[in-house]
Amino acid sequence: MSMDLQPYLETALDAAYLAKGIHQYYQEKGFTQSSKSTPTDLVTQADRESETAIRELIASRFPGQGVLGEEEGQQGEGEFRWIVDPLDGTVNYAHGFPFYAVSIALEVRAQLELGVILDTARSELFTATRGGGAYMNGRPLQVSRQDTLLGSLLATGFPYDVNKDAENLTYFQRALAKGLTVRRPGAAALDLAYVAAGRLEGFWEVKLNAWDVAAGWLLVQEAGGQVTGIQGEPYQLESRYLVASNRLIHAQLLDTIHGR
Ligand code: IPD
Ligand code: CA
Ligand code: CA
């Protein structure tokens, strides 16, 4: 499909910087917070106000387009769907641990066309358009060329109900048992952006949502990496179980987490 993405990209960038202002404002001023699905699943004033501001900006530029956001769900329908995580890494944010971001993607007729992830503590901006490459602060990104797992830096994440469903502990343990280096940074969108940037060779997680993944998925693809489901099948936004890598270690990473 050929369409002029520029107005959409500009809107995604403006929306991301609006969220950055809100993240920073509440980091300095202090914020209220409450829990959602579990006591550790937090939502703060910054999450809610960022999503509201992003929705208002999109509605003012493109009235009626669909928006799926973490805090307010799906609103509107049609060929265009914005997919928004207003603050990915909320637990980090709530503790002042500076690894969190806003993630905004645009899907047109069920195909991802652009993704923007802004690390609002570090001011690192990750952008990708389908077929147009991936960039960090305007510089082209490429995944790492490392081809061994022992030479790789890997990351994973755990769902908020990890105490009830420890599936990923098995994968994690298998990776550690091979002596691999695995981090748990706490913001899936940035984890994916870091795979695109070559800072991580691989990342996997279970029970992610579309807003955690949409922009990062496009970034990894556009930087030359690979994203699949947990068994190596083609990834879909609804898959929830994801493995992302620089492509070179993908099969080895799948073998490792499945104990092969
Ligand atoms: C969470 C983060 C975390 C991941 C969780 C997500 P939130 O998103 O991305 O790294 O492990 O699965 O839910 O709640 O901070 O937007
Ligand atoms: Ca998230
Ligand atoms: Ca969030």
Side-chain angles (χ1 to χ4, degrees), residues 70 85 87-90 157-158 160 184 186-188 205 208 212:
E70 177 172 9
D85 192 333
L87 205 181
D88 184 50
T90 297
F158 299 95
Y160 292 112
R184 195 282 190 243
E205 184 159 349
L208 289 169
D212 302 309

Side-chain angles (χ1 to χ4, degrees), residues 36 41-43 47 51 70-71 84-90 101 160 211-212:
K36 298 196 285 186
D41 180 6
L42 303 179
V43 58
D47 296 75
E51 183 158 328
E70 177 172 9
E71 308 307 336
V84 176
D85 192 333
L87 205 181
D88 184 50
T90 297
Y160 292 112
W211 47 80
D212 302 309

Side-chain angles (χ1 to χ4, degrees), residues 41-257:
D41 180 6
L42 303 179
V43 58
T44 71
Q45 261 175 306
D47 296 75
R48 293 198 201 282
E49 289 191 22
S50 298
E51 183 158 328
T52 302
I54 293 167
R55 282 181 185 275
E56 285 175 359
L57 183 75
I58 293 170
S60 73
R61 305 241 180 118
F62 305 108
Q65 289 189 354
V67 179
L68 171 67
E70 177 172 9
E71 308 307 336
E72 293 170 46
Q74 174 77 40
Q75 291 174 7
E77 283 180 13
E79 295 187 332
F80 288 74
R81 181 167 76 143
W82 297 83
I83 304 172
V84 176
D85 192 333
L87 205 181
D88 184 50
T90 297
V91 175
N92 287 345
Y93 180 86
H95 290 266
F97 183 94
F99 193 79
Y100 48 82
V102 50
S103 174
I104 300 173
L106 176 65
E107 217 181 44
V108 184
R109 292 183 210 105
Q111 175 140 262
L112 280 173
E113 294 290 343
L114 69 84
V116 167
I117 296 171
L118 178 62
D119 176 333
T120 57
R122 267 183 206 76
S123 286
E124 285 187 335
L125 173 68
F126 301 88
T127 57
T129 53
R130 189 167 64 85
Y135 297 83
M136 185 182 80
N137 293 344
R139 189 169 54 79
L141 291 182
Q142 258 208 326
V143 291
S144 123
R145 297 211 172 104
Q146 176 57 249
D147 63 0
T148 71
L149 278 184
L150 281 169
S152 293
L153 184 61
L154 305 171
T156 188
F158 299 95
Y160 292 112
D161 65 351
V162 65
N163 54 325
K164 299 213 178 79
D165 179 356
E167 188 178 13
N168 195 25
L169 292 185
T170 306
Y171 300 150
F172 187 52
Q173 189 180 19
R174 286 174 179 153
L176 295 186
K178 280 198 174 173
L180 305 183
T181 309
V182 188
R183 304 283 183 254
R184 195 282 190 243
L190 280 181
D191 295 333
L192 287 164
Y194 276 30
V195 173
R199 293 172 175 174
L200 291 171
E201 274 71 29
F203 165 67
W204 79 89
E205 184 159 349
V206 307
K207 293 193 177 172
L208 289 169
N209 290 296
W211 47 80
D212 302 309
V213 173
W217 178 20
L218 190 62
L219 267 155
V220 173
Q221 285 179 299
E222 289 295 326
Q226 186 173 5
V227 178
T228 67
I230 202 84
Q231 302 293 343
E233 74 278 19
Y235 189 73
Q236 293 175 336
L237 265 186
E238 302 71 34
S239 297
R240 306 203 72 204
Y241 290 63
L242 166 149
V243 180
S245 79
N246 67 352
R247 202 172 280 275
L248 300 176
I249 60 142
H250 207 87
Q252 301 170 65
L253 180 55
L254 285 168
D255 282 348
T256 297
I257 65 177

